[in-house]
Amino acid sequence: MRRTDTENSNSRTQRLVTRGGLLLGAVVVLGGLAGLVERARANSDGAFGAVGLTPAEARSTLDSLESLSGALAVSDLELTRARAIIEYSAIYQIPSDLSAAIYDIALSEGINPAIGFRLVQIESSFKAKARSSVGAIGYTQLMPATARFYMPEITEKMLYDRDINLRIGFRFLRQLMARFDGNLHYALLAYNRGPVTVREILSEGGNPANGYAQKVMGK
């Protein structure tokens, strides 16, 4: 990663840590206020007066707190996402926009992002223009025939599009997992060797392992 990229990542990380501290402080304050209002709501009307709130004011305050709590939950998810994107970008030495695309698309397709990143690393070394000797294309090394199963109108040129390639590749893996009853090991082998080949080997009592699944799974 270039020095400027590293500096930008460090700056973003510092901002996120600062934001995380502010969020934590807000949660503590809001938690205390929410507890106060909940106690007031649970008690008689006299209890509202004891804390300086009418019943209507207490309900209004609690509604506002609940709304803020939801906003904080969203912010926490955004912080988690940003931190993960930066970390993956640093680990694999890839641009943050590519890291974000892999992370977001993997999640949207039901794939663990950690698996998504390792699959792309092994398949294409994060090279958008990668093409194998047998014609597999792009980040996830899709064969055009496989891609057309998910997008009949797709062309080879379209397979070089980052988001299209990632989405189809991760969707293919997810459906392989469903086909192999959630077994990620077999699904990855089917991704690499083809589902028919893996099924045939298993039906004959053999072991289709070739080391690919272990590499992707980090084992």
Side-chain angles (χ1 to χ4, degrees), residues 1-17 86 90:
M1 182 180 291
R2 296 190 304 274
R3 185 169 180 269
T4 54
D5 291 336
T6 302
E7 291 172 345
N8 289 337
S9 292
N10 290 337
S11 177
R12 285 194 296 270
T13 301
Q14 185 175 10
R15 290 197 300 271
L16 288 171
V17 170
I86 291 171

PDB file of all heavy atoms in Angstrom, residues 1-17 86 90:
ATOM      1  N   MET A   1       0.841  -1.183   0.000  1.00  0.00           N
ATOM      2  CA  MET A   1       0.000   0.000   0.000  1.00  0.00           C
ATOM      3  C   MET A   1       0.887   1.248   0.000  1.00  0.00           C
ATOM      4  O   MET A   1       1.876   1.322   0.720  1.00  0.00           O
ATOM      5  CB  MET A   1      -0.882  -0.001   1.264  1.00  0.00           C
ATOM      6  CG  MET A   1      -1.842   1.183   1.333  1.00  0.00           C
ATOM      7  SD  MET A   1      -2.843   1.141   2.834  1.00  0.00           S
ATOM      8  CE  MET A   1      -3.877  -0.250   2.508  1.00  0.00           C
ATOM      9  N   ARG A   2       0.543   2.263  -0.800  1.00  0.00           N
ATOM     10  CA  ARG A   2       1.356   3.469  -0.857  1.00  0.00           C
ATOM     11  C   ARG A   2       1.269   4.210   0.465  1.00  0.00           C
ATOM     12  O   ARG A   2       0.318   4.094   1.230  1.00  0.00           O
ATOM     13  CB  ARG A   2       0.840   4.377  -1.981  1.00  0.00           C
ATOM     14  CG  ARG A   2       0.988   3.760  -3.371  1.00  0.00           C
ATOM     15  CD  ARG A   2       0.685   4.813  -4.433  1.00  0.00           C
ATOM     16  NE  ARG A   2      -0.617   5.393  -4.259  1.00  0.00           N
ATOM     17  CZ  ARG A   2      -1.729   4.851  -4.761  1.00  0.00           C
ATOM     18  NH1 ARG A   2      -1.673   3.733  -5.428  1.00  0.00           N
ATOM     19  NH2 ARG A   2      -2.908   5.438  -4.588  1.00  0.00           N
ATOM     20  N   ARG A   3       2.287   5.072   0.733  1.00  0.00           N
ATOM     21  CA  ARG A   3       2.353   5.791   1.994  1.00  0.00           C
ATOM     22  C   ARG A   3       1.101   6.639   2.205  1.00  0.00           C
ATOM     23  O   ARG A   3       0.552   6.715   3.295  1.00  0.00           O
ATOM     24  CB  ARG A   3       3.607   6.665   2.010  1.00  0.00           C
ATOM     25  CG  ARG A   3       3.832   7.365   3.361  1.00  0.00           C
ATOM     26  CD  ARG A   3       5.218   8.000   3.394  1.00  0.00           C
ATOM     27  NE  ARG A   3       5.424   8.661   4.679  1.00  0.00           N
ATOM     28  CZ  ARG A   3       5.122   9.934   4.919  1.00  0.00           C
ATOM     29  NH1 ARG A   3       4.552  10.666   3.970  1.00  0.00           N
ATOM     30  NH2 ARG A   3       5.356  10.478   6.100  1.00  0.00           N
ATOM     31  N   THR A   4       0.653   7.311   1.135  1.00  0.00           N
ATOM     32  CA  THR A   4      -0.540   8.163   1.268  1.00  0.00           C
ATOM     33  C   THR A   4      -1.758   7.343   1.638  1.00  0.00           C
ATOM     34  O   THR A   4      -2.609   7.787   2.410  1.00  0.00           O
ATOM     35  CB  THR A   4      -0.806   8.925  -0.042  1.00  0.00           C
ATOM     36  OG1 THR A   4      -0.883   7.974  -1.121  1.00  0.00           O
ATOM     37  CG2 THR A   4       0.286   9.937  -0.307  1.00  0.00           C
ATOM     38  N   ASP A   5      -1.871   6.111   1.083  1.00  0.00           N
ATOM     39  CA  ASP A   5      -2.995   5.243   1.420  1.00  0.00           C
ATOM     40  C   ASP A   5      -2.947   4.861   2.892  1.00  0.00           C
ATOM     41  O   ASP A   5      -3.969   4.818   3.579  1.00  0.00           O
ATOM     42  CB  ASP A   5      -2.972   3.965   0.565  1.00  0.00           C
ATOM     43  CG  ASP A   5      -3.278   4.259  -0.890  1.00  0.00           C
ATOM     44  OD1 ASP A   5      -3.926   5.296  -1.146  1.00  0.00           O
ATOM     45  OD2 ASP A   5      -2.876   3.478  -1.746  1.00  0.00           O
ATOM     46  N   THR A   6      -1.736   4.553   3.375  1.00  0.00           N
ATOM     47  CA  THR A   6      -1.585   4.183   4.776  1.00  0.00           C
ATOM     48  C   THR A   6      -1.953   5.339   5.689  1.00  0.00           C
ATOM     49  O   THR A   6      -2.642   5.179   6.700  1.00  0.00           O
ATOM     50  CB  THR A   6      -0.126   3.759   5.050  1.00  0.00           C
ATOM     51  OG1 THR A   6       0.206   2.683   4.188  1.00  0.00           O
ATOM     52  CG2 THR A   6       0.045   3.323   6.509  1.00  0.00           C
ATOM     53  N   GLU A   7      -1.490   6.571   5.320  1.00  0.00           N
ATOM     54  CA  GLU A   7      -1.818   7.742   6.118  1.00  0.00           C
ATOM     55  C   GLU A   7      -3.313   7.979   6.151  1.00  0.00           C
ATOM     56  O   GLU A   7      -3.898   8.305   7.188  1.00  0.00           O
ATOM     57  CB  GLU A   7      -1.096   8.971   5.553  1.00  0.00           C
ATOM     58  CG  GLU A   7       0.421   8.921   5.763  1.00  0.00           C
ATOM     59  CD  GLU A   7       1.129  10.056   5.027  1.00  0.00           C
ATOM     60  OE1 GLU A   7       0.488  10.672   4.154  1.00  0.00           O
ATOM     61  OE2 GLU A   7       2.297  10.311   5.331  1.00  0.00           O
ATOM     62  N   ASN A   8      -3.968   7.813   4.992  1.00  0.00           N
ATOM     63  CA  ASN A   8      -5.421   8.008   4.935  1.00  0.00           C
ATOM     64  C   ASN A   8      -6.132   6.988   5.802  1.00  0.00           C
ATOM     65  O   ASN A   8      -7.108   7.298   6.491  1.00  0.00           O
ATOM     66  CB  ASN A   8      -5.917   7.901   3.487  1.00  0.00           C
ATOM     67  CG  ASN A   8      -5.497   9.101   2.658  1.00  0.00           C
ATOM     68  OD1 ASN A   8      -5.231  10.177   3.198  1.00  0.00           O
ATOM     69  ND2 ASN A   8      -5.440   8.931   1.359  1.00  0.00           N
ATOM     70  N   SER A   9      -5.654   5.712   5.760  1.00  0.00           N
ATOM     71  CA  SER A   9      -6.272   4.665   6.571  1.00  0.00           C
ATOM     72  C   SER A   9      -6.100   4.966   8.043  1.00  0.00           C
ATOM     73  O   SER A   9      -7.022   4.799   8.839  1.00  0.00           O
ATOM     74  CB  SER A   9      -5.643   3.303   6.239  1.00  0.00           C
ATOM     75  OG  SER A   9      -5.978   2.915   4.937  1.00  0.00           O
ATOM     76  N   ASN A  10      -4.894   5.426   8.436  1.00  0.00           N
ATOM     77  CA  ASN A  10      -4.656   5.753   9.834  1.00  0.00           C
ATOM     78  C   ASN A  10      -5.561   6.895  10.285  1.00  0.00           C
ATOM     79  O   ASN A  10      -6.090   6.904  11.395  1.00  0.00           O
ATOM     80  CB  ASN A  10      -3.192   6.148  10.055  1.00  0.00           C
ATOM     81  CG  ASN A  10      -2.264   4.967   9.923  1.00  0.00           C
ATOM     82  OD1 ASN A  10      -2.697   3.822  10.083  1.00  0.00           O
ATOM     83  ND2 ASN A  10      -0.997   5.213   9.653  1.00  0.00           N
ATOM     84  N   SER A  11      -5.734   7.902   9.405  1.00  0.00           N
ATOM     85  CA  SER A  11      -6.591   9.042   9.729  1.00  0.00           C
ATOM     86  C   SER A  11      -8.030   8.598   9.899  1.00  0.00           C
ATOM     87  O   SER A  11      -8.722   9.016  10.830  1.00  0.00           O
ATOM     88  CB  SER A  11      -6.484  10.096   8.619  1.00  0.00           C
ATOM     89  OG  SER A  11      -7.348  11.178   8.885  1.00  0.00           O
ATOM     90  N   ARG A  12      -8.485   7.724   8.983  1.00  0.00           N
ATOM     91  CA  ARG A  12      -9.862   7.224   9.085  1.00  0.00           C
ATOM     92  C   ARG A  12     -10.041   6.419  10.365  1.00  0.00           C
ATOM     93  O   ARG A  12     -11.052   6.526  11.050  1.00  0.00           O
ATOM     94  CB  ARG A  12     -10.202   6.360   7.867  1.00  0.00           C
ATOM     95  CG  ARG A  12     -10.457   7.145   6.599  1.00  0.00           C
ATOM     96  CD  ARG A  12     -11.112   6.265   5.564  1.00  0.00           C
ATOM     97  NE  ARG A  12     -10.248   5.185   5.157  1.00  0.00           N
ATOM     98  CZ  ARG A  12      -9.380   5.266   4.147  1.00  0.00           C
ATOM     99  NH1 ARG A  12      -9.267   6.390   3.452  1.00  0.00           N
ATOM    100  NH2 ARG A  12      -8.627   4.227   3.829  1.00  0.00           N
ATOM    101  N   THR A  13      -9.034   5.613  10.698  1.00  0.00           N
ATOM    102  CA  THR A  13      -9.124   4.798  11.913  1.00  0.00           C
ATOM    103  C   THR A  13      -9.230   5.671  13.143  1.00  0.00           C
ATOM    104  O   THR A  13     -10.029   5.413  14.045  1.00  0.00           O
ATOM    105  CB  THR A  13      -7.887   3.893  12.024  1.00  0.00           C
ATOM    106  OG1 THR A  13      -7.816   3.058  10.872  1.00  0.00           O
ATOM    107  CG2 THR A  13      -7.974   3.021  13.270  1.00  0.00           C
ATOM    108  N   GLN A  14      -8.404   6.756  13.184  1.00  0.00           N
ATOM    109  CA  GLN A  14      -8.443   7.668  14.328  1.00  0.00           C
ATOM    110  C   GLN A  14      -9.806   8.319  14.467  1.00  0.00           C
ATOM    111  O   GLN A  14     -10.342   8.449  15.557  1.00  0.00           O
ATOM    112  CB  GLN A  14      -7.348   8.734  14.185  1.00  0.00           C
ATOM    113  CG  GLN A  14      -7.235   9.650  15.408  1.00  0.00           C
ATOM    114  CD  GLN A  14      -6.077  10.614  15.278  1.00  0.00           C
ATOM    115  OE1 GLN A  14      -5.476  10.720  14.219  1.00  0.00           O
ATOM    116  NE2 GLN A  14      -5.748  11.294  16.351  1.00  0.00           N
ATOM    117  N   ARG A  15     -10.383   8.734  13.323  1.00  0.00           N
ATOM    118  CA  ARG A  15     -11.703   9.354  13.378  1.00  0.00           C
ATOM    119  C   ARG A  15     -12.748   8.378  13.885  1.00  0.00           C
ATOM    120  O   ARG A  15     -13.641   8.734  14.650  1.00  0.00           O
ATOM    121  CB  ARG A  15     -12.095   9.878  11.988  1.00  0.00           C
ATOM    122  CG  ARG A  15     -11.292  11.083  11.526  1.00  0.00           C
ATOM    123  CD  ARG A  15     -11.999  11.782  10.386  1.00  0.00           C
ATOM    124  NE  ARG A  15     -12.185  10.929   9.236  1.00  0.00           N
ATOM    125  CZ  ARG A  15     -11.311  10.802   8.252  1.00  0.00           C
ATOM    126  NH1 ARG A  15     -10.160  11.465   8.288  1.00  0.00           N
ATOM    127  NH2 ARG A  15     -11.553  10.021   7.221  1.00  0.00           N
ATOM    128  N   LEU A  16     -12.645   7.114  13.445  1.00  0.00           N
ATOM    129  CA  LEU A  16     -13.615   6.109  13.859  1.00  0.00           C
ATOM    130  C   LEU A  16     -13.495   5.796  15.344  1.00  0.00           C
ATOM    131  O   LEU A  16     -14.491   5.608  16.034  1.00  0.00           O
ATOM    132  CB  LEU A  16     -13.415   4.824  13.035  1.00  0.00           C
ATOM    133  CG  LEU A  16     -13.851   4.919  11.578  1.00  0.00           C
ATOM    134  CD1 LEU A  16     -13.397   3.688  10.824  1.00  0.00           C
ATOM    135  CD2 LEU A  16     -15.363   5.067  11.485  1.00  0.00           C
ATOM    136  N   VAL A  17     -12.251   5.727  15.840  1.00  0.00           N
ATOM    137  CA  VAL A  17     -12.057   5.476  17.265  1.00  0.00           C
ATOM    138  C   VAL A  17     -12.652   6.603  18.087  1.00  0.00           C
ATOM    139  O   VAL A  17     -13.310   6.398  19.113  1.00  0.00           O
ATOM    140  CB  VAL A  17     -10.554   5.305  17.577  1.00  0.00           C
ATOM    141  CG1 VAL A  17     -10.323   5.288  19.088  1.00  0.00           C
ATOM    142  CG2 VAL A  17     -10.022   4.024  16.955  1.00  0.00           C
ATOM    143  N   ILE A  86     -11.450  -1.273   6.694  1.00  0.00           N
ATOM    144  CA  ILE A  86     -10.077  -0.769   6.826  1.00  0.00           C
ATOM    145  C   ILE A  86      -9.114  -1.899   7.160  1.00  0.00           C
ATOM    146  O   ILE A  86      -8.013  -1.987   6.610  1.00  0.00           O
ATOM    147  CB  ILE A  86     -10.025   0.334   7.899  1.00  0.00           C
ATOM    148  CG1 ILE A  86     -10.774   1.579   7.407  1.00  0.00           C
ATOM    149  CG2 ILE A  86      -8.573   0.709   8.237  1.00  0.00           C
ATOM    150  CD1 ILE A  86     -10.967   2.643   8.466  1.00  0.00           C
ATOM    151  N   ALA A  90      -5.980  -3.329   4.855  1.00  0.00           N
ATOM    152  CA  ALA A  90      -4.596  -3.388   5.326  1.00  0.00           C
ATOM    153  C   ALA A  90      -4.033  -4.806   5.238  1.00  0.00           C
ATOM    154  O   ALA A  90      -2.889  -5.016   4.825  1.00  0.00           O
ATOM    155  CB  ALA A  90      -4.505  -2.866   6.752  1.00  0.00           C
TER     156      ALA A  90
END
